[in-house]
Amino acid sequence: MVKQTQTMTTSEWEIMRVIWTLGEATSRQVIRVMAKKTDWSPSTIKTLITRLQAKGYLTDNGAIRDRLYLPTVAEHEAMTATLSRTFHAMCAMCVGQALVDVLATTPLSKHDITHLQDTLQTKYAQAPDRIACDCMPHQQEEIAHHDK
Amino acid sequence: MVKQTQTMTTSEWEIMRVIWTLGEATSRQVIRVMAKKTDWSPSTIKTLITRLQAKGYLTDNGAIRDRLYLPTVAEHEAMTATLSRTFHAMCAMCVGQALVDVLATTPLSKHDITHLQDTLQTKYAQAPDRIACDCMPHQQEEIAHHDK
DNA sequence: GACTTTAGTCTACAACTGTAGATTATAAAA
DNA sequence: TTTTATAATCTACAGTTGTAGACTAAAGTC
């Protein structure tokens, strides 16, 4: 089983969120924080930290004990990477509509909304009238999809 | 290892895209289509179909042979469900900015953009000035995140 | 009816994930 | 210095996923 690009699992992602927020953290700190949200054992958290290091998402300050773990990727980078992958895996033709639905229930600040509006407005001029379905190799099959 | 909600894996998702597009399909059809995009063996595709059935994402018309497989969930439902899960796993405070970045490179039609704009405009009135970071249990920790 | 094709089912297996106990080593306390 | 607490490492194990060969059973062909 040849695994392509390493990705963070959902559990690993939760650990990263804590470390991203703190900037750097010891395993003890992560364990302390996670204890409030989950019932994971300290061992589980240490395992996840080790795996995150193996995957290259964390480094450490080299201390033998009370070691500090640091992210090698910014949270923001990781988020856009994940979202891009997610969108790319989906039917290009349907992404827009799905986004409409999801945005409706996603909490966004006025600031976020303004930025999104700016982005959309900028895109509008160059935007095509329709995006082709890319679910199947052939172009004409996209029509079938459309007719669904 | 107690698995929560069943989810589609990326490989399974690719199979579903074909079947969603065709509306219903025999394994042979799926194999034929996938042969153009991947080098998966017919066996692999049959395994994936079986797993999708086990997970409840596909049913079939009961035929002994040349059986037709049908989605039990609309593509659109599956997409919004996946996107919701993805967003919920991420820092609520950062989602807006990440979306700005990703939308910039996501192909959208004029129609999509208009709809998104409508949605955003509707949200604006009730939108808060800021979304709190939900990476850690305590409220004050969100400040640390903000200061990053 | 024997033969060929191929759809569907079974079995397989390694890597990845979720989850965590056992062991080792280091620093702090007594 | 012996003891104690606990980081860090090792080992473990079942369920999931990627990937596919082997086997069984229909359906069509000669």
Side-chain angles (χ1 to χ4, degrees):
Chain A
M1 181 165 76
V2 184
K3 184 70 177 199
Q4 61 286 27
T5 321
Q6 290 282 31
T7 55
M8 267 179 244
T9 69
T10 43
S11 312
E12 287 163 358
W13 187 276
E14 295 194 55
I15 301 296
M16 287 303 289
R17 284 180 71 179
V18 174
I19 301 179
W20 274 321
T21 302
L22 296 175
E24 61 181 24
T26 62
S27 62
R28 183 223 303 275
Q29 282 178 288
V30 179
I31 289 167
R32 186 91 51 77
V33 173
M34 293 311 292
K36 298 188 189 137
K37 321 172 64 176
T38 69
D39 57 352
W40 297 352
S41 77
S43 222
T44 297
I45 292 167
K46 289 180 196 168
T47 300
L48 292 172
I49 288 176
T50 302
R51 289 183 184 166
L52 282 165
Q53 262 192 305
K55 290 185 178 181
Y57 291 115
L58 287 178
T59 7
D60 64 71
N61 72 345
I64 305 295
R65 225 182 132 84
D66 297 307
R67 188 177 303 163
L68 282 172
Y69 297 97
L70 303 105
T72 60
V73 205
E75 180 167 22
H76 193 263
E77 306 305 319
M79 287 176 73
T80 55
T82 296
L83 289 178
S84 288
R85 246 198 320 278
T86 305
F87 287 149
H88 273 120
M90 294 177 166
C91 172
M93 191 177 77
C94 307
V95 164
Q97 183 54 52
L99 267 175
V100 169
D101 288 7
V102 174
L103 279 206
T105 57
T106 299
L108 294 170
S109 69
K110 285 195 197 311
H111 186 77
D112 290 334
I113 293 178
T114 306
H115 274 234
L116 286 166
Q117 282 172 327
D118 290 352
T119 307
L120 291 173
Q121 185 156 20
T122 307
K123 281 179 86 76
Y124 191 84
Q126 266 83 52
D129 286 326
R130 59 191 302 279
I131 305 290
C133 163
D134 58 349
C135 289
M136 310 229 308
H138 296 318
Q139 213 55 16
Q140 84 270 15
E141 254 119 17
E142 129 203 5
I143 291 142
H145 203 160
H146 219 42
D147 291 345
K148 240 180 9 189
Chain B
M1 186 164 73
V2 184
K3 183 70 177 197
Q4 61 288 24
T5 321
Q6 290 282 32
T7 55
M8 268 178 241
T9 70
T10 44
S11 313
E12 286 163 359
W13 188 275
E14 294 194 55
I15 302 296
M16 287 302 289
R17 284 180 70 180
V18 174
I19 301 180
W20 275 321
T21 302
L22 296 174
E24 59 182 24
T26 62
S27 61
R28 184 224 302 275
Q29 283 178 287
V30 179
I31 289 166
R32 185 93 50 76
V33 173
M34 291 312 291
K36 297 187 189 141
K37 321 174 61 175
T38 69
D39 57 352
W40 296 351
S41 77
S43 220
T44 297
I45 292 166
K46 289 180 198 168
T47 300
L48 291 172
I49 289 175
T50 302
R51 289 182 184 167
L52 282 164
Q53 262 191 306
K55 290 184 177 181
Y57 291 115
L58 287 178
T59 7
D60 64 73
N61 71 345
I64 304 295
R65 226 183 131 83
D66 298 308
R67 187 177 304 163
L68 283 172
Y69 296 97
L70 303 106
T72 60
V73 204
E75 179 166 23
H76 193 262
E77 305 306 318
M79 288 177 72
T80 54
T82 296
L83 290 178
S84 288
R85 246 198 320 278
T86 305
F87 287 150
H88 272 120
M90 295 176 164
C91 171
M93 192 178 74
C94 305
V95 164
Q97 183 53 51
L99 266 175
V100 168
D101 288 7
V102 174
L103 279 206
T105 57
T106 298
L108 293 170
S109 69
K110 286 197 199 310
H111 186 77
D112 291 332
I113 294 178
T114 307
H115 273 234
L116 285 166
Q117 282 171 328
D118 290 351
T119 308
L120 291 172
Q121 185 155 22
T122 306
K123 280 180 87 77
Y124 191 85
Q126 266 83 53
D129 286 325
R130 59 190 302 279
I131 305 290
C133 162
D134 58 349
C135 289
M136 308 227 311
H138 294 319
Q139 213 54 15
Q140 83 270 16
E141 254 118 19
E142 126 204 7
I143 291 144
H145 203 161
H146 219 40
D147 291 345
K148 240 180 7 189

